mmCIF file of all heavy atoms in Angstrom:
data_model
loop_
_atom_site.group_PDB
_atom_site.id
_atom_site.type_symbol
_atom_site.label_atom_id
_atom_site.label_comp_id
_atom_site.label_asym_id
_atom_site.label_seq_id
_atom_site.Cartn_x
_atom_site.Cartn_y
_atom_site.Cartn_z
ATOM 1 N N ASP Z 1257 0.808 -1.213 0.000
ATOM 2 C CA ASP Z 1257 0.000 0.000 0.000
ATOM 3 C C ASP Z 1257 0.843 1.267 0.000
ATOM 4 O O ASP Z 1257 0.430 2.288 -0.531
ATOM 5 C CB ASP Z 1257 -0.887 0.045 1.260
ATOM 6 C CG ASP Z 1257 -1.713 -1.203 1.424
ATOM 7 O OD1 ASP Z 1257 -2.529 -1.481 0.527
ATOM 8 O OD2 ASP Z 1257 -1.545 -1.913 2.441
ATOM 9 N N VAL Z 1258 1.994 1.194 0.653
ATOM 10 C CA VAL Z 1258 2.772 2.383 0.965
ATOM 11 C C VAL Z 1258 4.247 2.128 0.682
ATOM 12 O O VAL Z 1258 4.754 1.037 0.933
ATOM 13 C CB VAL Z 1258 2.621 2.747 2.466
ATOM 14 C CG1 VAL Z 1258 3.467 3.946 2.846
ATOM 15 C CG2 VAL Z 1258 1.174 2.984 2.831
ATOM 16 N N ILE Z 1259 4.927 3.166 0.190
ATOM 17 C CA ILE Z 1259 6.382 3.140 0.080
ATOM 18 C C ILE Z 1259 6.933 4.074 1.143
ATOM 19 O O ILE Z 1259 6.529 5.235 1.235
ATOM 20 C CB ILE Z 1259 6.848 3.595 -1.316
ATOM 21 C CG1 ILE Z 1259 6.451 2.558 -2.367
ATOM 22 C CG2 ILE Z 1259 8.362 3.835 -1.327
ATOM 23 C CD1 ILE Z 1259 6.746 2.968 -3.785
ATOM 24 N N ALA Z 1260 7.844 3.561 1.940
ATOM 25 C CA ALA Z 1260 8.551 4.369 2.933
ATOM 26 C C ALA Z 1260 9.951 4.622 2.384
ATOM 27 O O ALA Z 1260 10.757 3.700 2.271
ATOM 28 C CB ALA Z 1260 8.624 3.649 4.284
ATOM 29 N N ALA Z 1261 10.217 5.873 2.009
ATOM 30 C CA ALA Z 1261 11.505 6.243 1.426
ATOM 31 C C ALA Z 1261 12.369 6.888 2.507
ATOM 32 O O ALA Z 1261 11.921 7.769 3.229
ATOM 33 C CB ALA Z 1261 11.294 7.206 0.263
ATOM 34 N N VAL Z 1262 13.612 6.425 2.593
ATOM 35 C CA VAL Z 1262 14.524 6.857 3.648
ATOM 36 C C VAL Z 1262 15.375 8.027 3.165
ATOM 37 O O VAL Z 1262 15.930 7.999 2.056
ATOM 38 C CB VAL Z 1262 15.411 5.681 4.098
ATOM 39 C CG1 VAL Z 1262 16.363 6.107 5.199
ATOM 40 C CG2 VAL Z 1262 14.546 4.507 4.575
ATOM 41 N N GLU Z 1263 15.478 9.045 4.018
ATOM 42 C CA GLU Z 1263 16.250 10.259 3.726
ATOM 43 C C GLU Z 1263 17.699 9.922 3.417
ATOM 44 O O GLU Z 1263 18.291 9.098 4.099
ATOM 45 C CB GLU Z 1263 16.198 11.209 4.925
ATOM 46 C CG GLU Z 1263 16.890 12.496 4.652
ATOM 47 C CD GLU Z 1263 16.529 13.604 5.652
ATOM 48 O OE1 GLU Z 1263 15.534 13.513 6.353
ATOM 49 O OE2 GLU Z 1263 17.289 14.562 5.684
ATOM 50 N N SER Z 1264 18.265 10.578 2.529
ATOM 51 C CA SER Z 1264 17.613 11.420 1.553
ATOM 52 C C SER Z 1264 17.621 10.765 0.183
ATOM 53 O O SER Z 1264 16.754 11.037 -0.645
ATOM 54 C CB SER Z 1264 18.298 12.792 1.478
ATOM 55 O OG SER Z 1264 19.626 12.673 1.014
ATOM 56 N N ARG Z 1265 18.580 9.912 -0.065
ATOM 57 C CA ARG Z 1265 18.665 9.322 -1.406
ATOM 58 C C ARG Z 1265 17.561 8.308 -1.675
ATOM 59 O O ARG Z 1265 17.242 8.042 -2.824
ATOM 60 C CB ARG Z 1265 20.056 8.761 -1.643
ATOM 61 C CG ARG Z 1265 21.107 9.886 -1.733
ATOM 62 C CD ARG Z 1265 22.509 9.365 -1.927
ATOM 63 N NE ARG Z 1265 22.942 8.455 -0.903
ATOM 64 C CZ ARG Z 1265 23.605 8.803 0.198
ATOM 65 N NH1 ARG Z 1265 23.919 10.052 0.423
ATOM 66 N NH2 ARG Z 1265 23.964 7.889 1.075
ATOM 67 N N GLY Z 1266 16.957 7.781 -0.645
ATOM 68 C CA GLY Z 1266 15.796 6.921 -0.848
ATOM 69 C C GLY Z 1266 14.638 7.678 -1.469
ATOM 70 O O GLY Z 1266 13.830 7.109 -2.201
ATOM 71 N N PHE Z 1267 14.572 9.000 -1.194
ATOM 72 C CA PHE Z 1267 13.518 9.835 -1.784
ATOM 73 C C PHE Z 1267 13.639 9.851 -3.308
ATOM 74 O O PHE Z 1267 12.635 9.891 -4.019
ATOM 75 C CB PHE Z 1267 13.614 11.288 -1.311
ATOM 76 C CG PHE Z 1267 13.471 11.520 0.169
ATOM 77 C CD1 PHE Z 1267 13.693 12.774 0.678
ATOM 78 C CD2 PHE Z 1267 13.129 10.511 1.054
ATOM 79 C CE1 PHE Z 1267 13.572 13.032 2.030
ATOM 80 C CE2 PHE Z 1267 13.000 10.754 2.418
ATOM 81 C CZ PHE Z 1267 13.218 12.030 2.898
ATOM 82 N N LEU Z 1268 14.883 9.853 -3.800
ATOM 83 C CA LEU Z 1268 15.124 9.954 -5.238
ATOM 84 C C LEU Z 1268 14.511 8.796 -6.010
ATOM 85 O O LEU Z 1268 14.071 8.958 -7.146
ATOM 86 C CB LEU Z 1268 16.627 10.000 -5.519
ATOM 87 C CG LEU Z 1268 17.399 11.144 -4.883
ATOM 88 C CD1 LEU Z 1268 18.893 10.944 -5.074
ATOM 89 C CD2 LEU Z 1268 16.951 12.469 -5.447
ATOM 90 N N PHE Z 1269 14.522 7.627 -5.387
ATOM 91 C CA PHE Z 1269 14.008 6.432 -6.060
ATOM 92 C C PHE Z 1269 12.581 6.101 -5.638
ATOM 93 O O PHE Z 1269 11.788 5.617 -6.437
ATOM 94 C CB PHE Z 1269 14.955 5.255 -5.817
ATOM 95 C CG PHE Z 1269 16.329 5.527 -6.335
ATOM 96 C CD1 PHE Z 1269 17.380 5.814 -5.477
ATOM 97 C CD2 PHE Z 1269 16.578 5.558 -7.697
ATOM 98 C CE1 PHE Z 1269 18.648 6.107 -5.966
ATOM 99 C CE2 PHE Z 1269 17.843 5.848 -8.198
ATOM 100 C CZ PHE Z 1269 18.877 6.125 -7.319
ATOM 101 N N GLY Z 1270 12.246 6.382 -4.384
ATOM 102 C CA GLY Z 1270 10.896 6.108 -3.903
ATOM 103 C C GLY Z 1270 9.845 6.953 -4.578
ATOM 104 O O GLY Z 1270 8.736 6.478 -4.867
ATOM 105 N N THR Z 1271 10.174 8.209 -4.857
ATOM 106 C CA THR Z 1271 9.191 9.120 -5.440
ATOM 107 C C THR Z 1271 8.720 8.674 -6.828
ATOM 108 O O THR Z 1271 7.511 8.545 -7.048
ATOM 109 C CB THR Z 1271 9.745 10.557 -5.474
ATOM 110 O OG1 THR Z 1271 10.031 10.960 -4.129
ATOM 111 C CG2 THR Z 1271 8.760 11.517 -6.104
ATOM 112 N N PRO Z 1272 9.610 8.415 -7.780
ATOM 113 C CA PRO Z 1272 9.092 7.996 -9.092
ATOM 114 C C PRO Z 1272 8.405 6.636 -9.055
ATOM 115 O O PRO Z 1272 7.455 6.402 -9.800
ATOM 116 C CB PRO Z 1272 10.326 7.981 -9.996
ATOM 117 C CG PRO Z 1272 11.498 7.916 -9.084
ATOM 118 C CD PRO Z 1272 11.078 8.570 -7.811
ATOM 119 N N ILE Z 1273 8.854 5.762 -8.171
ATOM 120 C CA ILE Z 1273 8.196 4.451 -8.080
ATOM 121 C C ILE Z 1273 6.791 4.614 -7.525
ATOM 122 O O ILE Z 1273 5.833 4.050 -8.055
ATOM 123 C CB ILE Z 1273 9.034 3.465 -7.245
ATOM 124 C CG1 ILE Z 1273 10.352 3.146 -7.990
ATOM 125 C CG2 ILE Z 1273 8.251 2.179 -6.970
ATOM 126 C CD1 ILE Z 1273 11.363 2.384 -7.168
ATOM 127 N N ALA Z 1274 6.635 5.391 -6.466
ATOM 128 C CA ALA Z 1274 5.305 5.624 -5.890
ATOM 129 C C ALA Z 1274 4.381 6.253 -6.932
ATOM 130 O O ALA Z 1274 3.225 5.856 -7.069
ATOM 131 C CB ALA Z 1274 5.407 6.508 -4.647
ATOM 132 N N TYR Z 1275 4.896 7.212 -7.661
ATOM 133 C CA TYR Z 1275 4.102 7.878 -8.705
ATOM 134 C C TYR Z 1275 3.680 6.878 -9.790
ATOM 135 O O TYR Z 1275 2.508 6.780 -10.138
ATOM 136 C CB TYR Z 1275 4.909 9.026 -9.314
ATOM 137 C CG TYR Z 1275 4.196 9.711 -10.454
ATOM 138 C CD1 TYR Z 1275 3.220 10.670 -10.210
ATOM 139 C CD2 TYR Z 1275 4.490 9.380 -11.771
ATOM 140 C CE1 TYR Z 1275 2.549 11.292 -11.258
ATOM 141 C CE2 TYR Z 1275 3.831 9.994 -12.818
ATOM 142 C CZ TYR Z 1275 2.865 10.944 -12.567
ATOM 143 O OH TYR Z 1275 2.198 11.551 -13.601
ATOM 144 N N ASN Z 1276 4.647 6.142 -10.312
ATOM 145 C CA ASN Z 1276 4.359 5.194 -11.397
ATOM 146 C C ASN Z 1276 3.442 4.060 -10.966
ATOM 147 O O ASN Z 1276 2.648 3.560 -11.766
ATOM 148 C CB ASN Z 1276 5.658 4.603 -11.957
ATOM 149 C CG ASN Z 1276 6.435 5.593 -12.788
ATOM 150 O OD1 ASN Z 1276 5.872 6.547 -13.322
ATOM 151 N ND2 ASN Z 1276 7.730 5.379 -12.883
ATOM 152 N N GLU Z 1277 3.555 3.655 -9.708
ATOM 153 C CA GLU Z 1277 2.771 2.520 -9.211
ATOM 154 C C GLU Z 1277 1.489 2.956 -8.499
ATOM 155 O O GLU Z 1277 0.769 2.116 -7.963
ATOM 156 C CB GLU Z 1277 3.638 1.677 -8.262
ATOM 157 C CG GLU Z 1277 4.869 1.077 -8.925
ATOM 158 C CD GLU Z 1277 4.518 0.069 -10.000
ATOM 159 O OE1 GLU Z 1277 3.768 -0.884 -9.714
ATOM 160 O OE2 GLU Z 1277 4.993 0.243 -11.145
ATOM 161 N N ASN Z 1278 1.234 4.280 -8.451
ATOM 162 C CA ASN Z 1278 0.050 4.839 -7.800
ATOM 163 C C ASN Z 1278 -0.051 4.392 -6.339
ATOM 164 O O ASN Z 1278 -1.096 3.902 -5.888
ATOM 165 C CB ASN Z 1278 -1.226 4.477 -8.576
ATOM 166 C CG ASN Z 1278 -2.393 5.345 -8.173
ATOM 167 O OD1 ASN Z 1278 -2.234 6.503 -7.813
ATOM 168 N ND2 ASN Z 1278 -3.592 4.773 -8.218
ATOM 169 N N LYS Z 1279 1.054 4.563 -5.606
ATOM 170 C CA LYS Z 1279 1.127 4.193 -4.194
ATOM 171 C C LYS Z 1279 1.408 5.429 -3.353
ATOM 172 O O LYS Z 1279 1.992 6.414 -3.826
ATOM 173 C CB LYS Z 1279 2.241 3.163 -3.951
ATOM 174 C CG LYS Z 1279 2.074 1.879 -4.719
ATOM 175 C CD LYS Z 1279 0.848 1.098 -4.274
ATOM 176 C CE LYS Z 1279 0.733 -0.215 -5.045
ATOM 177 N NZ LYS Z 1279 -0.425 -0.988 -4.657
ATOM 178 N N SER Z 1280 1.024 5.352 -2.096
ATOM 179 C CA SER Z 1280 1.357 6.417 -1.153
ATOM 180 C C SER Z 1280 2.851 6.406 -0.882
ATOM 181 O O SER Z 1280 3.485 5.351 -0.886
ATOM 182 C CB SER Z 1280 0.632 6.189 0.179
ATOM 183 O OG SER Z 1280 -0.758 6.264 0.007
ATOM 184 N N LEU Z 1281 3.392 7.595 -0.628
ATOM 185 C CA LEU Z 1281 4.811 7.739 -0.293
ATOM 186 C C LEU Z 1281 4.908 8.429 1.056
ATOM 187 O O LEU Z 1281 4.317 9.490 1.258
ATOM 188 C CB LEU Z 1281 5.529 8.579 -1.350
ATOM 189 C CG LEU Z 1281 7.000 8.869 -1.083
ATOM 190 C CD1 LEU Z 1281 7.832 7.606 -1.283
ATOM 191 C CD2 LEU Z 1281 7.490 9.983 -2.002
#
């Protein structure tokens, strides 16, 4: 349901994946 992206470089990869997969970030 959710992607938890870890500061700060995790944000770089979590954001496009959450967007593309229509998941919460």
Side-chain angles (χ1 to χ4, degrees):
D1257 307 299
V1258 177
I1259 292 174
V1262 180
E1263 184 164 342
S1264 64
R1265 292 178 303 267
F1267 299 173
L1268 301 172
F1269 300 106
T1271 300
I1273 293 170
Y1275 177 81
N1276 287 336
E1277 298 295 306
N1278 196 32
K1279 300 294 182 180
S1280 296
L1281 177 72

